[in-house]
Amino acid sequence: VSISEAEGVGRKIIYHRKTDKNRYLAVGRSGNRIITLIIRRLEPTTYFLTTARDASKKERKIVYEKELS
């Protein structure tokens, strides 16, 4: 996943949820790819991108369902 793809997903988040210990999972599209971002909250207004990867099958399914509704 390139930096520009991760930035694109950051602007077009389709699904997000809190995971553990100040971490958030955000899933969105960059072109035809569905990408998952793991974001860590450092302070109330400061976030740090930990990981950007292709979405898992389960995450892709959630995105498809949200896009259809």
Side-chain angles (χ1 to χ4, degrees):
V1 177
S2 70
I3 293 171
S4 63
E5 287 176 320
E7 288 174 346
V9 171
R11 291 187 209 102
K12 300 177 188 175
I13 294 173
I14 297 169
Y15 163 73
H16 64 88
R17 67 180 172 91
K18 186 173 181 176
T19 57
D20 62 341
K21 297 184 181 176
N22 295 328
R23 287 190 183 162
Y24 297 86
L25 181 140
V27 183
R29 282 193 179 267
S30 177
N32 290 332
R33 288 177 85 177
I34 299 176
I35 297 173
T36 298
L37 305 177
I38 306 297
I39 303 164
R40 184 170 173 223
R41 183 176 173 184
L42 301 175
E43 296 176 6
T45 59
T46 306
Y47 295 84
F48 178 77
L49 178 63
T50 304
T51 304
R53 60 172 171 79
D54 287 320
S56 69
K57 187 175 182 179
K58 182 178 176 181
E59 293 161 348
R60 289 193 310 266
K61 181 180 177 187
I62 293 169
V63 168
Y64 295 145
E65 289 171 354
K66 289 198 176 277
E67 287 179 336
L68 290 175
S69 61

Coordinates of all heavy atoms in Angstrom, one line a residue:
V1 N 0.9 -1.2 0.0 CA 0.0 0.0 0.0 C 0.9 1.2 0.0 O 1.8 1.4 0.8 CB -0.9 0.0 1.2 CG1 -1.8 1.3 1.3 CG2 -1.8 -1.2 1.3
S2 N 0.6 2.1 -0.9 CA 1.5 3.3 -1.0 C 0.9 4.4 -0.1 O -0.2 4.3 0.4 CB 1.5 3.9 -2.4 OG 0.2 4.4 -2.8
I3 N 1.7 5.4 0.1 CA 1.4 6.5 1.0 C 0.1 7.3 0.4 O -0.8 7.6 1.2 CB 2.5 7.5 1.2 CG1 3.6 6.8 2.0 CG2 2.1 8.8 1.9 CD1 4.9 7.6 2.1
S4 N 0.1 7.5 -0.9 CA -1.0 8.2 -1.5 C -2.3 7.4 -1.4 O -3.4 8.0 -1.2 CB -0.7 8.5 -2.9 OG -0.5 7.4 -3.7
E5 N -2.2 6.1 -1.5 CA -3.4 5.2 -1.3 C -3.9 5.3 0.2 O -5.1 5.5 0.4 CB -3.1 3.8 -1.6 CG -2.9 3.5 -3.1 CD -2.6 2.1 -3.4 OE1 -1.7 1.5 -2.7 OE2 -3.1 1.5 -4.4
A6 N -3.0 5.3 1.1 CA -3.4 5.4 2.5 C -4.0 6.8 2.8 O -5.1 6.9 3.5 CB -2.2 5.2 3.4
E7 N -3.5 7.8 2.2 CA -4.1 9.2 2.4 C -5.5 9.2 1.8 O -6.4 9.9 2.3 CB -3.2 10.2 1.8 CG -1.9 10.5 2.5 CD -0.9 11.4 1.8 OE1 -1.1 11.7 0.6 OE2 0.0 11.9 2.5
G8 N -5.6 8.6 0.6 CA -6.9 8.6 0.0 C -8.0 7.9 0.8 O -9.1 8.4 0.9
V9 N -7.6 6.8 1.4 CA -8.5 6.1 2.3 C -8.9 6.9 3.5 O -10.0 6.9 3.9 CB -7.9 4.7 2.7 CG1 -8.8 4.1 3.8 CG2 -7.8 3.8 1.5
G10 N -7.9 7.7 4.0 CA -8.2 8.5 5.2 C -9.2 9.6 4.9 O -9.9 10.0 5.8
R11 N -9.4 9.9 3.6 CA -10.5 10.9 3.3 C -11.8 10.3 2.9 O -12.8 11.0 2.8 CB -10.0 11.8 2.1 CG -8.8 12.7 2.4 CD -8.5 13.6 1.3 NE -7.1 13.9 1.4 CZ -6.1 13.4 0.6 NH1 -6.4 12.5 -0.3 NH2 -4.9 13.8 0.8
K12 N -11.8 9.0 2.7 CA -13.0 8.3 2.2 C -13.2 7.0 3.1 O -13.3 5.9 2.6 CB -12.9 7.8 0.8 CG -12.7 9.0 -0.2 CD -12.4 8.5 -1.6 CE -12.1 9.6 -2.5 NZ -11.7 9.1 -3.8
I13 N -13.3 7.2 4.4 CA -13.6 6.0 5.3 C -15.0 5.5 5.1 O -15.9 6.3 5.3 CB -13.2 6.4 6.7 CG1 -11.7 6.7 6.8 CG2 -13.6 5.3 7.7 CD1 -11.3 7.2 8.2
I14 N -15.2 4.3 4.9 CA -16.5 3.7 4.7 C -16.9 3.0 6.0 O -18.1 3.1 6.4 CB -16.5 2.6 3.6 CG1 -16.2 3.3 2.3 CG2 -17.8 1.9 3.5 CD1 -15.9 2.4 1.1
Y15 N -16.0 2.4 6.8 CA -16.3 1.7 8.0 C -15.2 1.9 9.0 O -14.0 2.0 8.6 CB -16.4 0.2 7.6 CG -16.4 -0.7 8.8 CD1 -17.4 -0.9 9.7 CD2 -15.2 -1.5 9.0 CE1 -17.3 -1.8 10.7 CE2 -15.1 -2.4 10.0 CZ -16.2 -2.5 10.9 OH -16.1 -3.4 12.0
H16 N -15.5 2.1 10.3 CA -14.5 2.2 11.3 C -15.0 1.7 12.6 O -16.2 1.6 12.8 CB -14.1 3.7 11.4 CG -15.1 4.6 11.9 ND1 -15.4 4.8 13.3 CD2 -16.1 5.3 11.3 CE1 -16.4 5.6 13.4 NE2 -16.8 5.9 12.2
R17 N -14.1 1.3 13.5 CA -14.4 0.8 14.8 C -13.2 1.0 15.7 O -12.1 1.0 15.2 CB -14.9 -0.6 14.8 CG -13.9 -1.6 14.4 CD -14.4 -3.0 14.4 NE -13.5 -4.0 13.9 CZ -12.6 -4.7 14.6 NH1 -12.6 -4.5 15.9 NH2 -11.8 -5.5 14.1
K18 N -13.4 1.0 17.0 CA -12.4 1.0 18.0 C -11.9 -0.4 18.2 O -12.7 -1.3 18.3 CB -12.8 1.7 19.3 CG -11.7 1.9 20.3 CD -12.2 2.7 21.5 CE -11.0 2.8 22.4 NZ -11.3 3.7 23.5
T19 N -10.6 -0.6 18.3 CA -10.1 -1.9 18.6 C -9.7 -2.0 20.0 O -10.5 -2.2 20.9 CB -9.0 -2.3 17.6 OG1 -7.9 -1.4 17.7 CG2 -9.5 -2.4 16.2
D20 N -8.4 -1.8 20.3 CA -7.9 -1.9 21.7 C -7.0 -0.8 22.0 O -6.3 -0.2 21.1 CB -7.2 -3.3 21.9 CG -6.0 -3.5 21.0 OD1 -5.9 -2.8 20.0 OD2 -5.2 -4.3 21.4
K21 N -6.9 -0.4 23.2 CA -5.9 0.6 23.7 C -5.6 1.7 22.8 O -4.5 1.8 22.2 CB -4.6 -0.2 24.1 CG -4.8 -1.2 25.2 CD -3.5 -1.8 25.6 CE -3.7 -2.8 26.7 NZ -2.5 -3.6 27.0
N22 N -6.5 2.6 22.6 CA -6.4 3.8 21.8 C -6.0 3.5 20.3 O -5.4 4.3 19.6 CB -5.3 4.7 22.3 CG -5.7 5.2 23.7 OD1 -6.8 5.5 23.9 ND2 -4.7 5.5 24.5
R23 N -6.5 2.4 19.8 CA -6.3 2.0 18.4 C -7.7 2.0 17.7 O -8.7 1.5 18.2 CB -5.6 0.7 18.2 CG -4.2 0.8 18.5 CD -3.4 -0.4 18.1 NE -2.0 -0.3 18.6 CZ -1.2 -1.3 18.7 NH1 -1.6 -2.5 18.4 NH2 0.0 -1.1 19.0
Y24 N -7.7 2.4 16.4 CA -8.9 2.4 15.6 C -8.6 1.7 14.3 O -7.5 1.8 13.7 CB -9.4 3.8 15.4 CG -9.7 4.5 16.6 CD1 -8.8 5.2 17.4 CD2 -11.0 4.5 17.1 CE1 -9.1 5.8 18.6 CE2 -11.4 5.2 18.3 CZ -10.4 5.8 19.0 OH -10.7 6.4 20.2
L25 N -9.6 1.0 13.8 CA -9.5 0.3 12.5 C -10.4 1.1 11.6 O -11.6 1.3 11.9 CB -9.9 -1.1 12.6 CG -9.9 -2.0 11.4 CD1 -9.4 -3.4 11.8 CD2 -11.3 -2.1 10.8
A26 N -9.9 1.5 10.4 CA -10.7 2.3 9.4 C -10.5 1.6 8.1 O -9.4 1.2 7.7 CB -10.2 3.7 9.4
V27 N -11.6 1.4 7.4 CA -11.6 0.7 6.1 C -12.2 1.6 5.0 O -13.2 2.2 5.3 CB -12.4 -0.6 6.1 CG1 -12.2 -1.4 4.8 CG2 -11.8 -1.5 7.3
G28 N -11.5 1.7 3.9 CA -12.1 2.5 2.8 C -11.5 2.1 1.5 O -10.7 1.2 1.4
R29 N -11.9 2.9 0.5 CA -11.4 2.6 -0.9 C -10.4 3.6 -1.4 O -10.5 4.7 -1.1 CB -12.6 2.6 -1.9 CG -13.5 1.4 -1.8 CD -14.4 1.4 -3.0 NE -15.3 0.3 -3.1 CZ -15.0 -0.9 -3.7 NH1 -13.8 -1.0 -4.4 NH2 -15.8 -1.9 -3.7
S30 N -9.5 3.0 -2.2 CA -8.5 3.8 -2.9 C -8.6 3.3 -4.3 O -8.0 2.2 -4.6 CB -7.1 3.7 -2.3 OG -6.2 4.5 -3.1
G31 N -9.3 3.9 -5.2 CA -9.5 3.4 -6.5 C -10.4 2.1 -6.4 O -11.4 2.1 -5.8
N32 N -9.9 1.0 -6.9 CA -10.6 -0.3 -6.8 C -10.2 -1.1 -5.6 O -10.8 -2.1 -5.3 CB -10.4 -1.1 -8.1 CG -11.1 -0.5 -9.3 OD1 -12.1 0.1 -9.1 ND2 -10.5 -0.8 -10.4
R33 N -9.1 -0.7 -4.9 CA -8.6 -1.4 -3.7 C -9.4 -1.0 -2.5 O -9.7 0.1 -2.3 CB -7.1 -1.1 -3.5 CG -6.2 -1.7 -4.5 CD -4.8 -1.4 -4.2 NE -4.2 -2.2 -3.2 CZ -2.9 -2.2 -2.8 NH1 -2.2 -1.2 -3.3 NH2 -2.5 -3.0 -1.9
I34 N -9.6 -2.0 -1.6 CA -10.2 -1.8 -0.3 C -9.0 -1.9 0.7 O -8.4 -3.0 0.8 CB -11.4 -2.7 0.0 CG1 -12.4 -2.5 -1.1 CG2 -11.9 -2.4 1.4 CD1 -13.6 -3.4 -0.9
I35 N -8.8 -0.9 1.4 CA -7.6 -0.8 2.3 C -8.0 -0.6 3.8 O -8.9 0.2 4.0 CB -6.6 0.3 1.8 CG1 -6.1 -0.1 0.4 CG2 -5.5 0.5 2.8 CD1 -5.3 1.0 -0.2
T36 N -7.3 -1.3 4.7 CA -7.6 -1.1 6.1 C -6.4 -0.3 6.7 O -5.2 -0.6 6.4 CB -7.6 -2.5 6.8 OG1 -8.7 -3.2 6.3 CG2 -7.8 -2.4 8.3
L37 N -6.8 0.7 7.5 CA -5.8 1.5 8.2 C -5.9 1.2 9.7 O -7.1 1.2 10.2 CB -6.0 3.0 8.0 CG -6.1 3.5 6.6 CD1 -6.4 5.0 6.6 CD2 -4.8 3.2 5.9
I38 N -4.8 1.0 10.4 CA -4.8 0.9 11.9 C -4.2 2.2 12.4 O -3.1 2.5 12.0 CB -4.0 -0.3 12.3 CG1 -4.4 -1.6 11.7 CG2 -4.0 -0.4 13.9 CD1 -5.9 -2.0 12.0
I39 N -5.0 2.9 13.1 CA -4.6 4.3 13.6 C -4.5 4.3 15.1 O -5.4 3.8 15.8 CB -5.6 5.3 13.1 CG1 -5.8 5.2 11.6 CG2 -5.3 6.7 13.6 CD1 -7.0 5.9 11.0
R40 N -3.4 4.8 15.6 CA -3.2 4.9 17.1 C -3.5 6.4 17.5 O -3.0 7.3 16.9 CB -1.8 4.5 17.4 CG -1.6 4.5 18.9 CD -0.2 3.9 19.2 NE 0.0 4.0 20.6 CZ 1.2 4.4 21.1 NH1 2.2 4.5 20.3 NH2 1.3 4.5 22.4
R41 N -4.3 6.5 18.6 CA -4.5 7.8 19.1 C -3.5 8.1 20.2 O -3.4 7.5 21.2 CB -5.9 7.8 19.8 CG -6.3 9.1 20.3 CD -7.7 9.0 20.8 NE -8.1 10.3 21.5 CZ -9.2 10.5 22.1 NH1 -10.1 9.5 22.2 NH2 -9.5 11.6 22.7
L42 N -2.7 9.2 20.0 CA -1.7 9.6 20.9 C -2.2 10.6 21.9 O -1.9 10.5 23.1 CB -0.5 10.2 20.1 CG 0.2 9.3 19.1 CD1 1.2 10.1 18.3 CD2 0.8 8.1 19.7
E43 N -3.0 11.5 21.5 CA -3.6 12.5 22.3 C -5.0 12.8 21.7 O -5.3 12.3 20.7 CB -2.8 13.8 22.2 CG -1.4 13.7 22.8 CD -0.6 15.0 22.6 OE1 -1.2 16.0 22.2 OE2 0.6 15.0 23.0
P44 N -5.9 13.5 22.4 CA -7.2 13.7 21.9 C -7.3 14.2 20.5 O -8.3 13.9 19.8 CB -7.8 14.7 22.9 CG -7.1 14.4 24.2 CD -5.7 14.1 23.8
T45 N -6.4 15.0 20.0 CA -6.4 15.5 18.7 C -5.3 15.0 17.8 O -5.1 15.5 16.7 CB -6.4 17.0 18.7 OG1 -5.3 17.5 19.3 CG2 -7.7 17.6 19.4
T46 N -4.5 14.1 18.3 CA -3.3 13.6 17.5 C -3.4 12.1 17.3 O -3.5 11.3 18.2 CB -2.0 13.9 18.3 OG1 -2.0 15.3 18.7 CG2 -0.8 13.5 17.5
Y47 N -3.3 11.7 16.0 CA -3.4 10.3 15.6 C -2.2 10.0 14.8 O -1.6 10.8 14.1 CB -4.7 10.1 14.8 CG -5.9 10.3 15.6 CD1 -6.5 11.6 15.7 CD2 -6.6 9.2 16.2 CE1 -7.6 11.7 16.5 CE2 -7.7 9.4 16.9 CZ -8.2 10.7 17.1 OH -9.4 10.9 17.8
F48 N -1.8 8.7 14.8 CA -0.6 8.2 14.1 C -1.0 6.9 13.4 O -1.6 6.0 13.9 CB 0.4 7.8 15.2 CG 1.7 7.3 14.6 CD1 2.6 8.1 14.0 CD2 2.0 5.9 14.7 CE1 3.8 7.5 13.5 CE2 3.1 5.4 14.2 CZ 4.0 6.2 13.6
L49 N -0.7 6.9 12.1 CA -1.0 5.7 11.2 C 0.0 4.6 11.6 O 1.2 4.8 11.4 CB -0.9 6.1 9.8 CG -1.1 4.9 8.8 CD1 -2.5 4.3 8.9 CD2 -0.9 5.4 7.4
T50 N -0.5 3.5 12.1 CA 0.4 2.4 12.5 C 0.6 1.4 11.3 O 1.7 1.1 11.0 CB -0.2 1.6 13.6 OG1 -0.5 2.5 14.7 CG2 0.7 0.5 14.1
T51 N -0.5 1.0 10.7 CA -0.4 0.1 9.6 C -1.4 0.4 8.5 O -2.5 0.8 8.8 CB -0.7 -1.4 10.1 OG1 0.1 -1.7 11.2 CG2 -0.6 -2.4 9.1
A52 N -1.1 0.1 7.3 CA -2.0 0.2 6.1 C -1.8 -1.1 5.4 O -0.7 -1.5 5.0 CB -1.7 1.4 5.2
R53 N -2.9 -1.8 5.1 CA -2.8 -3.1 4.5 C -4.1 -3.3 3.6 O -5.1 -2.6 3.8 CB -2.7 -4.2 5.5 CG -3.8 -4.3 6.5 CD -3.7 -5.5 7.4 NE -4.7 -5.5 8.4 CZ -6.0 -5.8 8.4 NH1 -6.5 -6.2 7.2 NH2 -6.8 -5.8 9.4
D54 N -4.1 -4.3 2.8 CA -5.3 -4.7 2.1 C -6.3 -5.3 3.1 O -5.9 -5.9 4.0 CB -5.0 -5.8 1.0 CG -4.3 -5.2 -0.2 OD1 -4.6 -4.1 -0.6 OD2 -3.3 -5.9 -0.7
A55 N -7.6 -5.0 2.8 CA -8.6 -5.4 3.8 C -8.8 -6.9 3.7 O -8.6 -7.6 2.7 CB -9.9 -4.8 3.4
S56 N -9.1 -7.5 4.9 CA -9.4 -8.9 4.9 C -10.7 -9.2 4.3 O -11.5 -8.3 4.0 CB -9.4 -9.4 6.4 OG -10.6 -8.9 7.0
K57 N -11.0 -10.5 4.1 CA -12.3 -10.9 3.5 C -13.5 -10.4 4.3 O -14.5 -9.9 3.7 CB -12.3 -12.4 3.3 CG -13.5 -13.0 2.6 CD -13.4 -14.5 2.4 CE -14.5 -15.0 1.5 NZ -14.4 -16.4 1.3
K58 N -13.4 -10.5 5.6 CA -14.5 -10.1 6.5 C -14.7 -8.6 6.4 O -15.8 -8.1 6.3 CB -14.1 -10.5 7.9 CG -15.2 -10.1 8.9 CD -14.7 -10.6 10.3 CE -15.7 -10.1 11.4 NZ -15.3 -10.6 12.7
E59 N -13.6 -7.8 6.3 CA -13.6 -6.3 6.2 C -14.2 -5.9 4.8 O -15.0 -5.0 4.8 CB -12.3 -5.7 6.4 CG -11.8 -5.9 7.8 CD -10.3 -5.7 8.0 OE1 -9.5 -5.7 7.0 OE2 -9.8 -5.6 9.1
R60 N -13.8 -6.6 3.8 CA -14.4 -6.4 2.4 C -15.9 -6.6 2.4 O -16.6 -5.8 1.8 CB -13.7 -7.2 1.4 CG -12.2 -6.8 1.1 CD -11.7 -7.4 -0.1 NE -11.9 -8.9 -0.2 CZ -11.0 -9.8 0.2 NH1 -9.8 -9.4 0.7 NH2 -11.2 -11.1 0.1
K61 N -16.3 -7.7 3.1 CA -17.7 -8.0 3.1 C -18.5 -6.9 3.7 O -19.6 -6.4 3.2 CB -18.0 -9.3 3.8 CG -19.4 -9.7 3.9 CD -19.6 -11.0 4.6 CE -21.1 -11.4 4.7 NZ -21.3 -12.5 5.6
I62 N -18.0 -6.3 4.9 CA -18.7 -5.2 5.5 C -18.8 -4.0 4.6 O -19.8 -3.3 4.5 CB -18.0 -4.9 6.9 CG1 -18.1 -6.0 7.9 CG2 -18.5 -3.6 7.4 CD1 -17.2 -5.9 9.1
V63 N -17.7 -3.7 3.9 CA -17.7 -2.6 3.0 C -18.7 -2.8 1.9 O -19.5 -1.8 1.6 CB -16.3 -2.3 2.4 CG1 -16.3 -1.4 1.2 CG2 -15.3 -1.8 3.5
Y64 N -18.8 -3.9 1.3 CA -19.7 -4.2 0.2 C -21.2 -4.0 0.7 O -22.0 -3.4 0.1 CB -19.6 -5.6 -0.3 CG -18.3 -5.9 -1.0 CD1 -17.6 -7.1 -0.9 CD2 -17.6 -4.9 -1.8 CE1 -16.4 -7.4 -1.6 CE2 -16.4 -5.1 -2.4 CZ -15.8 -6.4 -2.3 OH -14.6 -6.6 -2.9
E65 N -21.4 -4.5 1.9 CA -22.8 -4.4 2.5 C -23.1 -2.9 2.7 O -24.3 -2.5 2.5 CB -22.9 -5.1 3.8 CG -22.9 -6.6 3.6 CD -22.8 -7.4 4.9 OE1 -22.6 -6.8 6.0 OE2 -22.9 -8.7 4.9
K66 N -22.2 -2.1 3.2 CA -22.5 -0.7 3.5 C -22.6 0.1 2.2 O -23.4 1.0 2.1 CB -21.3 -0.1 4.3 CG -21.4 -0.6 5.7 CD -20.6 0.3 6.6 CE -20.7 -0.1 8.1 NZ -21.9 0.4 8.7
E67 N -21.9 -0.3 1.1 CA -22.1 0.4 -0.1 C -23.4 0.1 -0.8 O -23.9 0.9 -1.5 CB -20.9 0.0 -1.1 CG -19.6 0.6 -0.7 CD -18.4 0.2 -1.6 OE1 -18.5 -0.9 -2.2 OE2 -17.5 0.9 -1.6
L68 N -23.9 -1.1 -0.6 CA -25.2 -1.4 -1.2 C -26.4 -0.8 -0.4 O -27.5 -0.6 -1.0 CB -25.4 -3.0 -1.2 CG -24.5 -3.7 -2.1 CD1 -24.7 -5.2 -2.0 CD2 -24.8 -3.3 -3.6
S69 N -26.2 -0.5 0.8 CA -27.4 0.1 1.6 C -27.5 1.6 1.5 O -26.7 2.2 0.8 CB -27.2 -0.3 3.1 OG -26.1 0.3 3.6

